[in-house]
DNA sequence: GGACAGCGGGAAAGCGCTTACCGGCAACCG
DNA sequence: CGGTTGCCGGTAAGCGCTTTCCCGCTGTCC
């Protein structure tokens, strides 16, 4: 039984070695298993001593000596957001399969900018940085981010983006077909008979949000809906953002009215707002979202959306970042992730 | 502009020092700010060189040299679960305020056991380990967990639990009044007129789940409901677990029937299952949960539950773990976290 | 039987940083 | 004016590991 009094200094490999009466080198070889063999008797002695002393390897020292870390970093907007947490779960699962540790940083609303998050991560020397936080298009921040990433990559760090691309970085991208998905959604909605659209567009400077808005607008245009008739409201990409934004919309009384929120999280907030106003989604007004976050299973009316394999996207982001540097020709980009339109109760055929 | 070709070796402090023509010690003092002063001219030279060379400190080396890490670890069951992700958000926020990095490990269903998670974390030498994963009562695992934690604490590591306590560890606990909360909920439900109760009890070997079941049962007993009339079904603590478990229940046709799920996540799954069976919660059958996870805002009918300040619990867990070793007398335990009963549409008065 | 490869143990040189400790110098005291 | 501080650079000893050498030993092959 270990005494539970004052913090005893850690047991080091050297302690184990001397207790086992072998050299440090031998102890190291036994404990971490190098290419070199160690005689059974010595090896047993080392193992025994290690167990007896309660030795725990110091990974910091190990990665220093080896010059390679076992950590990957994930940058998300808000870990409590179902979109990000689904991705994080994928990353986490993939990482644990590869025996990697994942450190999660939140940029949060009003928190760190993405380039600050990356700057804070660099000193930890992660193997890879995965950027899931929706990047702002703000050009200054963008510039700084690219600068940080360039420095990081120049030192051998791997980077992968989720969602939109960023020109000018060697980073790999899990490219999500936001634009195409939104376009298809728009077409489907027109096909159902909707004629009057409003968009909860999220922050106007967010790449992903913009791609979805643009795609949706394209789809509408291709279906003969005049852009001028489409109302767009911008606001935070959160549940409360959706809740608030939908209340600013004007043309909801129109018979063929349909609200598209660029994110399920917003759509869900919007539906609740509408209900509390006495308009039932799927009856008095149509609502559609994007992402197909897991919680949609339990929200009613069931929300029409564009389904994204969020968990897999997380897995892919990690694998992509760690993939071998492309054998020249084929760029290390995963196949694009396509969204599939799921029509549900919130947008019944008219 | 940095060339983006092959990975250049990292710039080290030594590089900066020699470029600035000062000693390594001076460079170190300038860059990390020690107690010692450095002459303005030297300091400027160092700063300039550092910037010019694109120096990024290596925190691994730093914590090795200093003997103190800047990391805390959080162990959760599943980061995609809203309960855990809400707590994680709190931890994350508190950590970033303290300039700490948080690494998140998932025990997951069928994944690592908790003691394995801790064992995997120890080599990383985190400042603290926060255990949010609902601990299994399985005595072997419990034993192993305590052993790991004892070793970790003996070397100066801090530990805090969220939820239930574990005897025999020096760990601090964010004590959640699961039992009392459930008891009060039961009383409230009886007061509303319900007479026939079923419980979705989660895994039977889970401390938190059990405390809630027991508390609820106590409340029922104190309200004169015979324990023998209460049906309990066990199953996974997930949305699907709740969905499946509720379908096994028998006595739901009774007029005063009410289902209590030990977790909102389960309750929400159960509600969906009931609806798909044609029983509307809040009309044909009452349902109550526990936690008040954020997504309840958008689930209908609004779910009766016991509200817990999840985000704050995360914050507290971190602060508690890092709090100064108690000045002897007062144990470093935060005030208990009380749950408050929130009666909503899913349990209308009869 | 001698040259030689192969094996496995140990000494020691780092990995990138921090921090005693030392020593030169200027200021300050009686 | 000698002695004592106090400042502030630099030198070097680690922090806990890994890994390159080096070296003695066996076994092998002509």
């Amino acid at each position: 039984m270990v005494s539970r009094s004052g913090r005893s200094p850690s047991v080091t490999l050297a302690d184990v070695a001397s207790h086992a009466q072998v050299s440090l080198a031998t102890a190291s070889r036994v404990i971490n298993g190098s290419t070199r063999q160690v005689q059974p008797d010595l090896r047993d002695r080392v193992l025994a001593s290690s167990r007896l002393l309660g030795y725990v390897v110091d990974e910091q020292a190990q990665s220093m000596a080896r010059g390679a870390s076992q950590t990957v970093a994930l940058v998300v907007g808000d870990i409590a957001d179902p979109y990000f947490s689904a991705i994080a779960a994928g990353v986490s699962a993939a990482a644990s399969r590869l025996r990697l540790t994942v450190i999660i940083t939140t940029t949060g609303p009003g928190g760190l900018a993405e380039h600050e998050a990356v700057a804070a991560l660099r000193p930890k020397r992660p193997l890879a940085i995965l950027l899931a936080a929706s990047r702002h298009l703000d050009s200054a921040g963008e510039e700084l981010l690219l600068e940080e990433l360039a420095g990081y990559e120049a030192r051998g760090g791997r980077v992968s983006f989720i969602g939109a691309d960023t020109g000018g970085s060697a980073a790999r991208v899990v490219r999500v077909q936001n634009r195409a998905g939104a376009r298809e959604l728009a077409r489907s909605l027109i096909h159902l008979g909707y004629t009057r659209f409003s968009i909860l567009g999220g922050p106007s400077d967010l790449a992903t949000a913009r791609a979805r808005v643009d795609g949706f607008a394209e789809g509408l245009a291709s279906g003969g809906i005049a852009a001028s008739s489409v109302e767009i409201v911008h606001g935070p990409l959160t549940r409360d953002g959706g809740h608030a934004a939908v209340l600013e919309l004007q043309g909801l009384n129109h018979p063929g009215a349909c609200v598209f929120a660029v994110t399920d999280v917003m759509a869900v907030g919007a539906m609740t707002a509408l209900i509390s106003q006495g308009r039932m989604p799927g009856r008095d007004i149509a609502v559609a979202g994007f992402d197909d976050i897991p919680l949609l299973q339990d929200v009613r009316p069931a929300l029409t959306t564009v389904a994204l394999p969020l968990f897999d996207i997380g897995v892919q982001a990690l694998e992509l970042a760690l993939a071998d540097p492309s054998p020249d020709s084929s760029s290390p980009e995963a196949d694009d992730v396509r969204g599939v339109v799921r029509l549900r109760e919130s947008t019944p055929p008219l």
Side-chain angles (χ1 to χ4, degrees), chain A residues 83 162-164 175-184 207-216 260 262 290-291 306 308 337-339:
Chain A
Y83 169 81
I162 290 169
R175 210 178 296 276
V176 176
Q177 300 221 342
N178 289 308
R179 200 182 192 96
R183 198 186 307 130
E184 214 181 314
T208 297
R210 231 161 69 167
R212 294 179 181 179
V213 169
D214 292 351
F216 195 78
F260 167 55
V262 292
F290 203 115
D291 287 338
V306 179
L308 250 32
V337 176
R338 305 188 51 85

Side-chain angles (χ1 to χ4, degrees), chain A residues 21-34:
Chain A
Q21 316 241 50
V22 299
S23 75
L24 187 50
T26 301
S28 170
R29 296 200 257 255
V30 169
I31 299 240
N32 86 78
S34 78

Side-chain angles (χ1 to χ4, degrees), chain A residues 254-341:
Chain A
H254 194 280
C258 176
V259 177
F260 167 55
V262 292
T263 275
D264 282 346
V265 168
M266 293 182 72
V268 162
M271 287 209 294
T272 297
L274 289 170
I275 290 174
S276 68
Q277 269 198 336
R279 303 177 205 257
M280 182 52 73
R283 190 190 66 197
D284 309 324
I285 173 105
V287 179
F290 203 115
D291 287 338
D292 203 20
I293 53 179
L295 76 86
L296 288 196
Q297 293 178 93
D298 300 304
V299 164
R300 267 162 314 269
L303 181 67
T304 286
T305 192
V306 179
L308 250 32
L310 297 173
F311 186 95
D312 287 345
I313 287 177
V315 173
Q316 277 188 46
L318 182 60
E319 287 174 349
L320 195 59
L322 263 29
D324 281 331
S326 58
D328 295 292
S329 52
S330 73
S331 95
E333 262 170 38
D335 290 337
D336 287 4
V337 176
R338 305 188 51 85
V340 353
V341 174

Side-chain angles (χ1 to χ4, degrees), chain A residues 213-239:
Chain A
V213 169
D214 292 351
F216 195 78
E218 282 172 28
L220 293 184
S222 81
I225 305 273
S228 60
S229 75
V230 180
E231 188 179 4
I232 303 192
V233 178
H234 293 283
L237 212 58
T238 61
R239 183 265 173 201

Side-chain angles (χ1 to χ4, degrees), chain A residues 61-192:
Chain A
Q62 216 168 240
S63 13
M64 261 210 77
R66 292 214 255 248
S69 123
Q70 300 272 64
T71 307
V72 299
L74 171 63
V75 181
V76 298
D78 172 11
I79 192 60
D81 180 314
Y83 169 81
F84 289 120
S85 69
I87 291 176
V91 171
S92 176
S96 94
R97 211 180 313 127
L98 297 167
R99 322 208 122 278
L100 295 175
T101 305
V102 12
I103 94 184
I104 297 189
T105 314
T106 299
T107 57
L112 269 45
E114 254 179 306
H115 72 266
E116 292 170 325
V118 172
L121 250 18
R122 282 232 270 155
K124 308 187 190 311
R125 307 253 181 261
L127 231 46
I129 297 182
L130 315 182
L131 291 160
S134 322
R135 286 170 314 96
H136 285 264
L137 287 176
D138 161 274
S139 56
E142 180 92 4
E143 183 80 15
L144 291 169
L145 176 59
L146 285 176
E147 225 170 282
E148 282 301 339
L149 291 179
Y152 175 64
E153 290 173 328
R155 308 301 189 271
R158 315 300 203 87
V159 175
S160 78
F161 284 107
I162 290 169
D165 194 1
T166 300
S169 158
R172 293 89 188 281
V173 181
V174 178
R175 210 178 296 276
V176 176
Q177 300 221 342
N178 289 308
R179 200 182 192 96
R183 198 186 307 130
E184 214 181 314
L185 175 63
R187 292 221 192 87
S188 305
L189 292 171
I190 290 175
H191 192 251
L192 288 177

